[in-house]
Amino acid sequence: IFVRMLPTHRTNNNENDSFVSRGGADTAATMPEEVKPGLPSSVKLLIGAGGIYGAFLYYGSLQEDVFRYTAEDGSSFKQAWFLQVLEALANVVIGFVGMQLTGATQGIPKAMFAISGAAQVSAKACTSLALANGLSFPVATLAKSGKMAPVMAGSLLLGGASYSIREYLQVAAIIGGTAVVSMGKKKGGASGSSSMGVFYIVLSLVLDGVTAGFQKRLKVETEKAGVKPKPYDFMFWTNLYMCLTALVIAGGLGEVGSGLAYCSANPEIFTKITKFAACSAVGQSFIFYTIANFDPLVLSTVTTTRKIFSVLLSIFLKGHSLSPTGWSGIALSCGGIISELQSKASGKKKKT
């Protein structure tokens, strides 16, 4: 998500994640275009897109594995905040190395980084808590693709913004399709705990909207300070405060001790968590590589289609079984996601 805060000539969309684009995780930002010697564009695209797909498809699979893991005694991993500590820490390490190689930017307004980082890690933790409380990975991923809903609501209520009918329909398709999927399972359907899973994913979406607002303020503050943070500045400082926030909350909830004890007793899940954190950091590096070499729409296309493939891979590889109604929900949500992407492409063509 913090990728969206990078200097850019376009406004935020999301994720993506989101991180990116619209997030989360996973969003698109861009660097000044210039002729760059070296590898052909096709090879650079293969490297960037291949890295993002590889890292984040595996990331999603591992995240699902972590929260579906059952130990010999029947217990499962519930320490979502502890997981965020480890994920953010991996990003801090990679961000620090990258910052040293590219040069650190001085005079960064760290207070806004702290606020933005706290909001972002809270959104991510709520997504993990949704999975830990029974919400399926496909439903959670599709729901997070609708994070424009809280952003739009906030802009309408507080900023007086206006949106087209198409934009309302796109968000409605994603949310409606997600609801249909959640009700269209053949087996392993909603359990008593899945209601809490729904609560946490809704809370995560709300926090995505809050995070977007803080990121806009961060962009304003950096402009006021007359500084232009580099990609790895964002990666390091955002994740540093994410890590500190998660550590404080995990410590207060007793998750640090219980998380370490659970991982010690179950080395298999610790291996999955380590890979999960590494994929997050590596994936962010490939996102920055793509940002530096291509238009924002390229990154948005890659990250958006990656989410769709993550959902499909989870369904086919993790034993999820959907009824025809569930598949219609998948089609509706994916249609909304693709329509949003096509809308961005159309807007880009009109500007050029």
Side-chain angles (χ1 to χ4, degrees), residues 76-87:
S76 58
F77 185 82
K78 299 291 186 181
Q79 293 82 357
W81 285 100
F82 175 66
L83 180 67
Q84 294 309 311
V85 172
L86 299 181
E87 180 182 355

Side-chain angles (χ1 to χ4, degrees), residues 62-293:
L62 289 166
Q63 184 178 33
E64 184 171 12
D65 288 344
V66 166
F67 289 108
R68 295 182 68 182
Y69 179 84
T70 302
E72 292 183 0
D73 61 1
S75 62
S76 58
F77 185 82
K78 299 291 186 181
Q79 293 82 357
W81 285 100
F82 175 66
L83 180 67
Q84 294 309 311
V85 172
L86 299 181
E87 180 182 355
L89 182 60
N91 279 273
V92 167
V93 172
I94 298 298
F96 179 79
V97 173
M99 193 168 61
Q100 299 309 305
L101 294 175
T102 61
T105 302
Q106 302 301 317
I108 289 177
K110 298 184 178 65
M112 282 308 303
F113 268 101
I115 297 172
S116 177
Q120 185 174 324
V121 75
S122 297
K124 290 174 67 66
C126 284
T127 299
S128 292
L129 285 166
L131 295 173
N133 282 276
L135 194 67
S136 73
F137 180 83
V139 171
T141 302
L142 289 174
K144 289 289 284 184
S145 297
K147 64 179 60 177
M148 270 304 294
V151 174
M152 289 173 66
S155 297
L156 287 169
L157 295 174
L158 303 177
S162 62
Y163 295 93
S164 67
I165 296 298
R166 176 172 180 169
E167 289 173 311
Y168 285 117
L169 291 176
Q170 287 167 178
V171 172
I174 295 172
I175 295 175
T178 301
V180 172
V181 173
S182 67
M183 296 183 294
K185 292 184 177 180
K186 283 184 177 178
K187 59 183 180 181
S191 63
S193 62
S194 65
S195 60
M196 284 301 297
V198 172
F199 168 77
Y200 279 119
I201 204 67
V202 171
L203 182 56
S204 178
L205 287 169
V206 171
L207 288 169
D208 280 335
V210 173
T211 300
F214 284 134
Q215 288 177 341
K216 290 180 181 179
R217 288 182 58 187
L218 174 57
K219 183 177 180 180
V220 171
E221 292 298 321
T222 55
E223 290 175 350
K224 286 182 179 179
V227 296
K228 292 185 178 180
K230 300 182 182 73
Y232 283 108
D233 291 316
F234 277 104
M235 186 174 185
F236 174 77
W237 289 111
T238 300
N239 281 280
L240 176 63
Y241 289 112
M242 289 175 67
C243 184
L244 293 175
T245 300
L247 183 60
V248 170
I249 297 177
L253 295 175
E255 288 191 8
V256 175
S258 62
L260 289 172
Y262 192 88
C263 290
S264 177
N266 302 279
E268 182 182 356
I269 196 171
F270 183 69
T271 299
K272 293 180 183 295
I273 290 174
T274 301
K275 293 178 180 179
F276 167 81
C279 283
S280 175
V282 171
Q284 283 301 312
S285 295
F286 278 111
I287 284 176
F288 290 137
Y289 176 86
T290 305
I291 289 172
N293 288 283

Side-chain angles (χ1 to χ4, degrees), residues 302-324:
V302 173
T303 55
T304 299
T305 54
R306 191 279 302 173
K307 289 182 180 180
I308 295 175
F309 282 117
S310 287
V311 170
L312 295 177
L313 284 175
S314 176
I315 292 172
F316 290 122
L317 300 181
K318 304 295 183 179
H320 299 286
S321 183
L322 296 178
S323 66

